[in-house]
Structure formats: structure tokens, C-alpha cells
Amino acid sequence: MQYASEVEAADALYASFSKVRAEIGKIIIGQDEVVKAVLIAIFSNGHCLLVGVPGLAKTLLVQTVAQVLDLSFNRIQFTPDLMPSDIIGSEILGEDRNFKFIKGPVFSNIILADEINRTPPKTQAALLEAMQEKAVTAAGVTHQLDKPFFVLATQNPIEQEGTYPLPEAQLDRFMFNIALGYPSFQEELNIVKNTTGNTVNKINKLLNAEQIRYFQQLVRNIPITDHVLEYAVKLTAKTRPNTALATPKVNQLLSWGAGPRASQFLVLGAKCHAVISGKYSPDIEDVQAVAKAILRHRIVRNYRAEAEGLSADQIIEQLY
């Protein structure tokens, strides 16, 4: 897959994004910002954590994205008795008396890790290691995962009894934390209308794995000016209480801030957001467009912020 110039390639990504978004819109009604964030994460080679109540079409969204992008898809339902081998696979003794590795469901392009906070830390760690290394190790042998490799994990914010919340260090592996809200009345009306009849919308495959890998590399090659790069790094640094760039408000409201991975994701996310918006280089608005989803799970509010009812998003807005 070759283009005459990176400008032409950026135009192709912009056009592809618009088509993919419209195709997904045949099945997923509303949730435009969620779809946009998921696609930005895929083209930026990142992972997503989706937080929302049950019944908001999280599984359908991921299945639809996989279909449109012509990628393999697996859903893993996380439960308290799930073992690491249930995810990555295990070795079995074959008929020839030799051990052979049977691949687990993680060997797919897109993984839906449903209710990741319902499984013990050991099993969570197996998936998170695969996310970071893009490979799994079994019996001392390393097996590379399919590329592109993208994990969308879901958490139910309501039922917390019998769950194992992801620690901050593991949350940091996710590029985006996407908050999923209820649809509007009109959107819900359209959802019910479209899903309670006999109408079946046909989904077209618009991209493939090779094209997505190309666009992921293209996003990294997008130029960024020094002042936008500095803005992204400063925005992350401002979240760290009792440091040089921290504001008095941050010192009052946060007990912990975001690490360098947040700065990296801010830059990559801004680059991708710029291209899908028809620009060839990101500006400060592109950084701000992805900042909440990148920072909200990387800052830890203290008792004062919680007592004042301030959300992570409200604190991040004060840093712009």
C-alpha cells in the first residue's frame, strides 16, 4: 500500500475515517464521540477502557468495528474463576507424545474484555501483559500476537461488590478511558425502532489489517510543532501535585498525577485527531480534544475533591 506523499496518505486516512464512521453508524445509533474515540485509539495503536452501565451496545460496537475494518474479533467474558490460560492459551500433550501450544482467545485483532474488573488480579495481569508486549509467553516460548492488536475492556460502574478494581499502574496501560452515557430520547427511539423489526443493515468491509498497520505508522509520522508538544507535556505535568508546574488547585484536589505515558498518548491522540479532522499537523485544540479520555483514569482525586463533588473531568478542564 503506497501513496505518492504523506499528504496524500493523510487525505486517505481522513476519507477512510469518515467512511468507517458512517458505516458503523448504520448499526450504532448515537454514541458518535465513543465511536470516534475507539477509532482514534485503533489508528494510534492504543487500547480503550469503556465505562458504562449494561445494555449500551458495547459488545455490538466492538463487533461492528471489527466487521467494518475486516479484523478478527473475540469476546472474553471475565469471571471470578477465569484463569490466565483461559486467555492466552495452554500447552497440551498431543497424540505424538509432544507438547503443543493451543492458542487462547487473545490471539485475535480485536479483543472485547467484558467486565475486566470481575476477574482476579492474576488473570487481569495476563491480559495486560499481552496488551503491553503484543506477545504472550507459555512454557518459556514467546508467541507474537496478531497485528493490529486492540483491546477494548469494559467496566460496570454500578455493581462493585465482588469485583477487583484495576490498580492505577494497570489502568495506565489503556490509552483512553471512555465514559459511555445513556442515549438521548430520539436516539433511543431510533434504536428501538431499528432493533425490534425485521430490517437487517448490511455492513461493508472498508479497510483491512494491512491498511490499518499503514495508517498506524502514518499517525506516528505526522509532524508536530514544538509549542504543541510542550503544551501536551505541560498539561500532563500540571496534574502532578507538589511539583513545579502544579497549580494551587491541583495541590488541593489531587493526591497523584499522570505519568509520562499520558504525554505520549496526548501527542499520538492529537496527531490522529488532527488527521481525521482534515489537518496535517495537530494544534492545541487537538490535544484538548483527547485530554479528558487520556487523563481521567490517570489522576487520583483526594478526599477534598470528592467532598466538593468535583469529577476528574472538571479538574482536567481547569488545567487547559
Side-chain angles (χ1 to χ4, degrees), residues 56-74:
L56 295 179
K58 296 186 285 289
T59 304
L60 182 62
L61 167 63
V62 189
Q63 284 177 327
T64 306
V65 169
Q67 264 187 288
V68 175
L69 299 182
D70 196 16
L71 297 174
S72 56
F73 164 76
N74 272 327

Side-chain angles (χ1 to χ4, degrees), residues 13 80 165 278:
L13 175 52

Side-chain angles (χ1 to χ4, degrees), residues 145-308:
L145 294 173
D146 302 331
K147 293 180 182 177
F149 177 69
F150 173 69
V151 172
L152 194 146
T154 70
Q155 280 192 172
N156 179 353
I158 300 172
E159 289 183 89
Q160 293 305 319
E161 190 177 337
T163 62
Y164 306 83
L166 289 172
E168 276 68 26
Q170 293 185 350
L171 282 171
D172 195 46
R173 303 281 176 90
F174 291 95
M175 178 178 185
F176 284 155
N177 178 329
I178 304 170
L180 203 64
Y182 289 111
S184 67
F185 177 79
Q186 187 58 51
E187 286 169 350
E188 189 165 352
L189 206 60
N190 292 337
I191 290 168
V192 174
K193 188 177 179 181
N194 287 5
T195 55
T196 54
N198 290 320
T199 308
V200 178
N201 287 318
K202 190 179 184 315
I203 290 293
N204 297 308
K205 296 175 180 179
L206 300 180
L207 291 176
N208 57 41
E210 183 189 353
Q211 289 171 303
I212 292 164
R213 289 194 296 269
Y214 178 87
F215 285 140
Q216 286 175 338
Q217 191 58 49
L218 172 70
V219 166
R220 298 189 80 88
N221 292 339
I222 297 294
I224 184 170
T225 59
D226 287 343
H227 84 279
V228 177
L229 192 69
E230 285 174 14
Y231 178 83
V233 175
K234 278 182 180 176
L235 187 58
T236 301
K238 283 180 184 178
T239 67
R240 299 164 188 162
N242 305 314
T243 58
L245 291 174
T247 63
K249 205 75 173 167
V250 163
N251 291 332
Q252 290 172 7
L253 301 173
L254 297 183
S255 54
W256 206 255
R261 192 179 273 135
S263 300
Q264 295 170 332
F265 282 142
L266 280 171
V267 170
L268 280 172
K271 286 181 175 185
C272 188
H273 189 274
V275 176
I276 65 171
S277 302
K279 295 181 279 189
Y280 299 118
S281 182
D283 52 32
I284 286 171
E285 286 72 25
D286 293 305
V287 177
Q288 292 174 347
V290 297
K292 286 181 188 174
I294 288 171
L295 295 174
R296 65 166 63 107
H297 57 301
R298 291 183 164 89
I299 62 175
V300 180
R301 296 175 298 151
N302 61 20
Y303 69 93
R304 182 168 180 172
E306 292 183 10
E308 292 181 14

